[in-house]
Amino acid sequence: MTQIAYQVETNLTTDAFIDILERSTLAERRPVKDKERIAKMLQHANLVVTARTPDGKLVGVSRSLSDYSLCTYLSDMAVDKDYQGLGIGKELIRKTQEAAPQAMVILLAAPKSINYYPK
């Protein structure tokens, strides 16, 4: 199994974010054709956790809004379809919680992933 590195990233590019959305199932429910809107989504998020392969390929991302005290709204979580089932999503959620330990993570499941999150 490929070793995945997780980190809080403050400079994820719009193009990289759109790319991972498209390589996951999340692009179906995000305005990926509107680059300016996606850029604003990234600009106003204050907690972005990424998952990358050793060669730097972005294979997962969680994008959140957090007050770091009471709540963290995890609004986007995308994992490359080729890397799903490896625990990357679970680790992205854990790293998001770790970045704001006092806050509860709030996540609304997309219809296609409703059975994934209880695990």
Side-chain angles (χ1 to χ4, degrees), residues 17-18 21-22 26-28 30-35 38:
F17 187 51
I18 290 170
L21 292 175
E22 289 176 340
L26 200 55
E28 300 168 9
R30 296 297 180 269
V32 294
K33 301 294 184 216
D34 187 343
K35 192 171 179 177
I38 294 285

Side-chain angles (χ1 to χ4, degrees), residues 12-19 34-36 38-40 42:
L12 185 64
T13 68
T14 302
D15 288 335
F17 187 51
I18 290 170
D19 182 54
D34 187 343
K35 192 171 179 177
E36 184 178 327
I38 294 285
K40 286 180 182 179
L42 275 175

Side-chain angles (χ1 to χ4, degrees), residues 6 8 47 49 90-100:
Y6 299 87
V8 173
L47 177 54
V49 179
K90 187 182 288 189
E91 188 65 8
L92 285 168
I93 293 170
R94 193 182 77 70
K95 291 292 189 179
T96 297
Q97 179 69 69
E98 188 177 272

Side-chain angles (χ1 to χ4, degrees), residues 17 41-42 45 47-48 61-65 73-76:
F17 187 51
M41 289 168 58
L42 275 175
L47 177 54
V48 176
V61 65
S62 68
R63 185 185 73 87
S64 303
L65 306 167
Y73 171 54
L74 199 165
S75 56
D76 295 313

